[in-house]
Amino acid sequence: MTVQDLGISIDTIWMLLAAMLVFFMQPGFALCEAGFTRSKNTANILFKNFVDFMVGSLLFWFVGFGFMFGSDGQGFIGMPNFGDLSFYTNSAGLPTEGFLIFETVFCATSATIVSGAMAERTKFSMYCVYSFFISLLIYPVEGHWTWGGGWLCNGEEGSFMMNTFGTVFHDFAGSAIVHSVGGVLALIGAIILGPRLGKYDKKGKSKAIPGHNLMAAALGVLILWFGWFGFNPGSQLAASGAVNREAISHVFLTTNLAAVAGGIATMLLSWVKYGKPSFSLMLNGVLAGLVGITAGCDMVSPTGAVIIGLICGIILPYGIEFIDQKLHIDDPVGASSVHGICGIVGTLLTGLLSVSEGAFYGHGFGFLGAQVLGIVCIDLWAAVSGFILFYTIKRVKGLRVDKRIEEEGLDIYEHGESCYN
């Protein structure tokens, strides 16, 4: 075995290990969402997290991988591959099947985010339909523009991004591409679906509907935190050699620092704002920091990571309040705030705090401009396509369960079984 072969083997093992960690985020999302909602809907919520991964895996293997990585990358969307992976060759020599698995778990994550905001009142059959289209089309299209080598990340001389900004859009592991897209879709879905019964009184005042199990939610957040060490460092797609081992170590550090800063910021803010430190808010604060750092975890300093975590942790409670109390949009787990708002904020802060290209480090505002354009285009695509998808489902088949089913719980009526007996 040559030294080069050994290096590729090490990189492959690292990529597959990272894919396992990102896959392990699925039970994290399931426990977090189930804990923050009511016990009568737990089986339904757990079921949906399985469906996301099962449907996403088949679709991404059959056509989504081609949509995202096919053709020259410059068009609106690539070509479907219909299960044939021979079109793709990884420039680093990594096995195509391994790379497909790594990208599959990211696709499943984006679809799973939507579940939380639409929990406790969505028809299971219609959930399967919109999960199908998110994995089939919505995620692969904007993934094609970015990670698929498309126009937002085209650094060739004379390209639109280089001519306009002198640099390209950067999202290392998915603050925008995965999380903000999931958050925007979650928000649009929650708007079209409408609030849960009893969430708002006749005057429009929001009433709390507590989740049934904070222990499950806490375990879910800890699992997500653990999985993020595959999500972010794994996006380096290599571990061999000095450059790669230093890069993944740096990303590990910035990821963790942003998480703890986000959690601390939310804890202290809730303590001051409400008189008591809120455990449930703190859990979302940790996730806010993780979402925020995901775009620039490779480009910012440890201090920059702490700043991003603190900002996201502070913004989060205000975002949840604004969406709930001012806009009257019912998001049971705060997905649109955690993933949508903090994904956008983290992507934009990368344009300011990147050591190599950021405005705060004397590199001008070209990179920030690229980040602004990228996040606007990605989330506008998510919003428009999401509106068409959810509104069409609502008009054609109905998106929401009947009142009696919602009151008595989706578990028995939708699945004929209960999580707790």
Side-chain angles (χ1 to χ4, degrees), residues 146-228:
T146 49
W147 290 339
W151 66 277
L152 277 173
C153 290
N154 181 9
E156 296 175 4
E157 187 177 351
S159 68
F160 170 77
M161 293 299 286
M162 295 304 291
N163 285 341
T164 307
F165 303 106
T167 188
V168 298
F169 175 74
H170 181 84
D171 186 357
F172 186 70
S175 284
I177 297 166
V178 177
H179 292 283
S180 77
V181 165
V184 168
L185 287 169
L187 183 69
I188 298 297
I191 292 170
I192 292 175
L193 189 60
R196 290 169 291 175
L197 296 173
K199 176 60 181 172
Y200 301 102
D201 63 21
K202 293 180 180 179
K203 295 181 179 179
K205 184 179 179 181
S206 175
K207 297 196 289 187
I209 303 178
H212 82 283
N213 194 333
L214 272 179
M215 186 188 298
L219 180 57
V221 170
L222 285 169
I223 290 172
L224 287 169
W225 195 341
F226 178 69
W228 235 285

Side-chain angles (χ1 to χ4, degrees), residues 5-90:
D5 283 339
L6 181 61
I8 293 173
S9 296
I10 292 170
D11 294 343
T12 301
I13 292 169
W14 168 242
M15 177 180 67
L16 294 176
L17 176 61
M20 292 179 209
L21 288 170
V22 179
F23 168 73
F24 194 51
M25 293 172 78
Q26 289 294 131
F29 279 116
L31 286 170
C32 187
E33 183 182 339
F36 279 135
T37 51
R38 291 169 289 185
S39 59
K40 62 185 179 181
N41 302 308
T42 304
N44 174 264
I45 286 164
L46 299 178
F47 203 160
K48 289 190 295 185
N49 278 269
F50 274 86
V51 167
D52 283 329
F53 191 76
M54 293 188 296
V55 171
S57 293
L58 280 174
L59 286 174
F60 201 74
W61 159 73
F62 192 63
V63 290
F65 189 64
F67 280 147
M68 190 161 170
F69 293 98
S71 76
D72 60 2
Q74 302 309 306
F76 178 75
I77 190 171
M79 295 297 293
N81 55 303
F82 300 115
D84 179 11
L85 306 179
S86 62
F87 76 93
Y88 183 80
T89 303
N90 189 278

Side-chain angles (χ1 to χ4, degrees), residues 339-363:
H339 300 279
I341 293 174
C342 294
I344 292 168
V345 169
T347 303
L348 298 178
L349 286 175
T350 302
L352 298 173
L353 295 170
S354 166
V355 174
S356 57
E357 294 189 73
F360 286 174
Y361 285 82
H363 299 290

